[in-house]
Amino acid sequence: MHTPSLIWILHLMNLSNGQDGPNILRWKRSSSSSMLCQTGCATCSALNGCLSCKPRLFFHLELDGMRQKGTCLSSCPRGHFGTRSPHISTCTKCKADCASCFSETFCTRCHPGHFLLRGKCESSCPKGWTANAELQECTECPAGCELCVKSGTCTKCHADMYHLHGQCHHICPRGFEPDVPLMQCIPQIDCEVGEWTGWSQCAQKENKRANRRGEEARTRQVLRSPSACGDPCPHVSEIRKCVVKKRHKAKV
């Protein structure tokens, strides 16, 4: 007579025709009947495939025509996430908007037309983020940026910042000045002047005819006026003292 423990061992090592039904096979290392089960199955049936899996493998139901068949996998297929437990590890389908996921509440990849943001798939990205079609995710805009077309190119800044070359600034950088109505940094324009003219003829003032001292002047033109914050123009006229040349009287 077999002891109860020996009967249980024999039950596991051979085909079971008892209460589990004649169509259920249990995996065993030494029996040719193990070839009837797929790799990784602990128990299986011809109709439903794997019914349970070996340790560390995930049980996954896949569609086979109009019915589902069980398989045992080392990792869950795309569009599913794995859940482990002491009794059985299973593959569960991701939410409809997730192409792949880490858990029921955290997507890792989205279907085309949706963009990944903090584990969720969104149809559009919120302010401060831009839709990266190549990565299919929302990418954060630069600091101070409200709207951007790429991760490093801003098209609209926050209300208190100035826009310049796709970036946002609290203060315009050197060489630029703020255009407050447009909230942009525009190039700073410094004054530009031309060359001095020659000195004018030395001339006496009306009230100083008694001596020969006079004044002569020269000027230069403003070629480009400065902007509001640009360097101002230097003086454009000069006067200096001079001595009036004595006129010689013509001989009679």
Side-chain angles (χ1 to χ4, degrees):
M1 180 179 292
H2 297 298
T3 62
S5 60
L6 182 57
I7 293 173
W8 178 247
I9 292 171
L10 292 173
H11 178 73
L12 291 176
M13 296 296 293
N14 293 282
L15 294 175
S16 174
N17 290 308
Q19 60 182 1
D20 291 332
N23 296 323
I24 296 178
L25 303 178
R26 294 187 182 277
W27 174 83
K28 62 175 184 173
R29 187 171 298 170
S30 59
S31 172
S32 60
S33 63
S34 62
M35 299 299 293
L36 299 175
C37 285
Q38 295 180 16
T39 303
C41 294
T43 58
C44 65
S45 75
L47 183 64
N48 296 313
C50 295
L51 302 177
S52 61
C53 300
K54 296 177 184 177
R56 307 299 299 170
L57 297 180
F58 291 97
F59 180 77
H60 172 59
L61 284 173
E62 58 184 24
L63 198 62
D64 181 17
M66 296 297 293
R67 62 181 179 178
Q68 289 183 320
K69 293 189 70 172
T71 58
C72 295
L73 308 170
S74 58
S75 61
C76 293
R78 185 173 176 179
H80 296 74
F81 65 93
T83 304
R84 293 195 181 277
S85 71
H87 305 293
I88 184 170
S89 298
T90 58
C91 292
T92 305
K93 192 173 180 61
C94 299
K95 292 191 299 183
D97 55 353
C98 290
S100 59
C101 60
F102 177 76
S103 67
E104 186 178 4
T105 57
F106 198 95
C107 298
T108 56
R109 189 175 178 82
C110 303
H111 294 298
H114 288 74
F115 304 94
L116 186 66
L117 176 63
R118 298 184 181 128
K120 296 186 181 299
C121 291
E122 309 287 354
S123 58
S124 60
C125 297
K127 284 186 177 181
W129 298 76
T130 182
N132 189 318
E134 185 178 353
L135 298 177
Q136 283 186 243
E137 63 182 26
C138 294
T139 306
E140 192 169 11
C141 294
C145 186
E146 187 172 314
L147 294 174
C148 60
V149 293
K150 294 179 181 177
S151 58
T153 306
C154 187
T155 56
K156 183 180 179 182
C157 299
H158 292 314
D160 59 342
M161 301 188 76
Y162 298 99
H163 182 266
L164 174 65
H165 299 156
Q167 301 293 318
C168 299
H169 304 267
H170 285 291
I171 299 174
C172 292
R174 186 180 180 87
F176 294 87
E177 62 184 62
D179 183 334
V180 177
L182 296 178
M183 290 306 289
Q184 295 178 348
C185 292
I186 58 175
Q188 179 179 300
I189 300 173
D190 299 328
C191 180
E192 185 179 340
V193 296
E195 297 293 331
W196 288 105
T197 62
W199 290 102
S200 65
Q201 185 177 356
C202 187
Q204 287 180 308
K205 290 186 176 180
E206 290 294 331
N207 59 352
K208 293 189 176 181
R209 294 286 183 182
N211 56 51
R212 295 172 56 194
R213 292 190 174 276
E215 293 179 341
E216 58 185 5
R218 66 176 183 175
T219 60
R220 56 184 174 181
Q221 287 186 329
V222 174
L223 302 179
R224 186 172 64 179
S225 298
S227 59
C229 299
D231 292 339
C233 293
H235 60 280
V236 293
S237 64
E238 288 183 339
I239 297 175
R240 69 180 182 181
K241 302 294 184 182
C242 60
V243 177
V244 178
K245 292 182 180 180
K246 187 176 181 180
R247 293 181 181 180
H248 297 284
K249 293 183 179 180
K251 293 181 180 181
V252 179

